């Protein structure tokens, strides 16, 4: 189901950003070489972009998940939320940077069984956390831990859910155009 509401506020760009949004956009431009359209939309409320960037960095740097595992979590949440933009962006990252196996990436994109036992368990637990609003059963957690993950990583998935809620929901109301960097990985939910 596509969102039919679209915000009318103009995106915050490097050309028109206010004093709170400008440093965030400049930081993104310096790090990525461009400002993703998603960031320009989120910067309409700079606290949203600032919180997203902070949480995203913490998840990437401190979650204890390897890069392919991080992408599995972020892709699973983005698919469940039906975020076309984030599915494209994380698909590109999965393929080009995080070394997610192609068959795993395609399985997640197409909502098919994941052909890697550990990554399948991670995606399944992420889905459980999403669908139960963070109320897994003991058996759910046991299956996650039995797949080789640590108990503290349950909370890291909560962090990923928070971060992706910020970006996915912002994209639902902003409808950002897909950046050229992600266009080759377009996805429709």
């Amino acid at each position: 189901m596509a969102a039919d509401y679209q915000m009318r506020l103009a995106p915050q760009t490097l050309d028109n950003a206010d004093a709170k949004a400008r440093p965030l956009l400049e930081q993104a431009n310096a790090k990525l070489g461009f400002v993703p359209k998603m960031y320009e939309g989120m910067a309409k409320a700079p606290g949203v972009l600032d919180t997203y960037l902070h949480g995203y960095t913490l998840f990437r740097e401190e979650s204890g998940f390897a890069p392919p595992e991080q992408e599995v979590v972020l892709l699973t949440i983005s698919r469940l939320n039906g975020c076309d933009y984030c599915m494209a962006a994380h698909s590109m990252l999965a393929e080009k940077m995080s070394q997610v196996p192609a068959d795993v990436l395609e399985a997640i994109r197409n909502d098919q069984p994941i052909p890697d036992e550990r990554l399948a368990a991670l995606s399944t637990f992420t889905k459980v956390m999403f669908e139960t609003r963070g109320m897994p059963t003991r058996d759910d957690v046991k299956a996650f831990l039995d797949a080789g993950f640590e108990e503290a990583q349950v909370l890291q998935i909560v962090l990923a859910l928070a971060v992706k809620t910020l970006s996915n929901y912002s994209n639902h109301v902003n409808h950002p155009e897909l950046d050229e960097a992600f266009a080759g990985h377009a996805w429709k939910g």
Side-chain angles (χ1 to χ4, degrees):
M1 173 177 75
D4 68 348
Y5 172 76
Q6 183 167 354
M7 293 190 75
R8 293 182 291 186
L9 289 172
Q12 293 281 305
T13 67
L14 289 172
D15 295 331
N16 69 0
D18 64 29
K20 289 183 180 177
R22 180 172 305 287
L24 300 169
L25 298 174
E26 288 173 344
Q27 177 185 18
N29 191 47
K31 184 175 181 180
L32 304 172
F34 73 105
V35 178
K37 301 240 186 294
M38 178 181 87
Y39 291 11
E40 293 176 350
M42 293 171 82
K44 294 173 188 179
V48 172
L49 179 58
D50 192 20
T51 301
Y52 168 80
L53 292 171
H54 180 69
Y56 184 81
T57 299
L58 289 173
F59 178 74
R60 288 293 196 186
E61 293 177 357
E62 298 178 16
S63 69
F65 292 116
E69 295 166 344
Q70 293 171 10
E71 289 317 331
V72 166
V73 170
L74 299 172
L75 281 161
T76 298
I77 297 165
S78 295
R79 183 182 45 73
L80 291 167
N81 275 325
C83 185
D84 298 346
Y85 185 100
C86 286
M87 282 297 293
H90 286 289
S91 292
M92 186 281 289
L93 291 172
E95 179 186 320
K96 306 283 187 201
M97 309 207 36
S98 299
Q99 307 305 308
V100 173
D103 56 349
V104 170
L105 176 57
E106 284 310 304
I108 295 170
R109 286 175 58 93
N110 296 311
D111 197 18
Q112 300 294 318
I114 296 172
D116 176 292
E117 218 172 285
R118 180 176 164 87
L119 296 178
L122 177 58
S123 181
T124 296
F125 186 73
T126 300
K127 184 176 181 181
V128 164
M129 291 295 286
F130 177 92
E131 291 177 344
T132 66
R133 307 300 181 256
M135 294 185 280
T137 66
R138 285 186 181 106
D139 288 343
D140 294 328
V141 175
K142 182 179 182 329
F144 178 68
L145 299 177
D146 286 350
F149 297 103
E150 302 293 327
E151 188 179 31
Q153 290 176 308
V154 170
L155 290 175
Q156 294 298 335
I157 290 176
V158 172
L159 175 58
L161 285 160
V163 166
K164 290 289 43 170
T165 297
L166 288 168
S167 63
N168 295 165
Y169 287 19
S170 294
N171 290 338
H172 291 334
V173 296
N174 282 314
H175 302 270
E177 181 182 321
L178 197 56
D179 297 286
E180 187 177 320
F182 313 131
H185 294 81
W187 181 87
K188 283 285 180 200

